[in-house]
Amino acid sequence: NAVVQVPYSISTVGYTSDDITIIKNAIIELSDALGVVKFIPRTNQLVYIRIEARSPGCFSIVGKLAQDNYQPVNLQRSGCLVPGIIKH
């Protein structure tokens, strides 16, 4: 079985270092559980997911955005930074 790599970045704006650790640990757990999808830290990939705390709530837009090369995943600090929600 081929493993699909999904690059990601985590915005440092709006998160503490503890928040970032929680997010990274959930991403590692998800990668390990899936087996066929591996989330990798972004280096220079043009298309990636970006985890950020721009808006209230926990959400991502469905479908690839045409105007940007990244897919935003919004995880507000209040209520979203628990492993189950991050993985979902």
Side-chain angles (χ1 to χ4, degrees), residues 43-65:
T43 53
N44 61 352
Q45 297 90 344
L46 294 178
V47 178
Y48 60 101
I49 64 171
R50 177 178 167 86
I51 299 167
E52 53 191 34
R54 265 191 194 181
S55 304
C58 322
F59 63 88
S60 177
I61 298 167
V62 175
K64 184 179 180 306
L65 296 178

Side-chain angles (χ1 to χ4, degrees), residues 51-85:
I51 299 167
E52 53 191 34
R54 265 191 194 181
S55 304
C58 322
F59 63 88
S60 177
I61 298 167
V62 175
K64 184 179 180 306
L65 296 178
Q67 72 270 22
D68 294 314
N69 289 330
Y70 68 88
Q71 178 72 27
V73 176
N74 193 86
L75 295 173
Q76 177 184 350
R77 285 192 72 214
S78 176
C80 298
L81 297 185
V82 293
I85 291 174

Side-chain angles (χ1 to χ4, degrees), residues 13-62:
V13 176
Y15 292 126
T16 67
S17 60
D18 287 342
D19 295 338
I20 291 171
T21 299
I22 290 167
I23 294 167
K24 286 181 179 179
N25 287 341
I27 289 171
I28 290 167
E29 289 174 13
L30 181 60
S31 287
D32 291 347
L34 294 174
V36 295
V37 176
K38 179 150 181 82
F39 293 90
I40 58 169
R42 177 181 182 247
T43 53
N44 61 352
Q45 297 90 344
L46 294 178
V47 178
Y48 60 101
I49 64 171
R50 177 178 167 86
I51 299 167
E52 53 191 34
R54 265 191 194 181
S55 304
C58 322
F59 63 88
S60 177
I61 298 167
V62 175

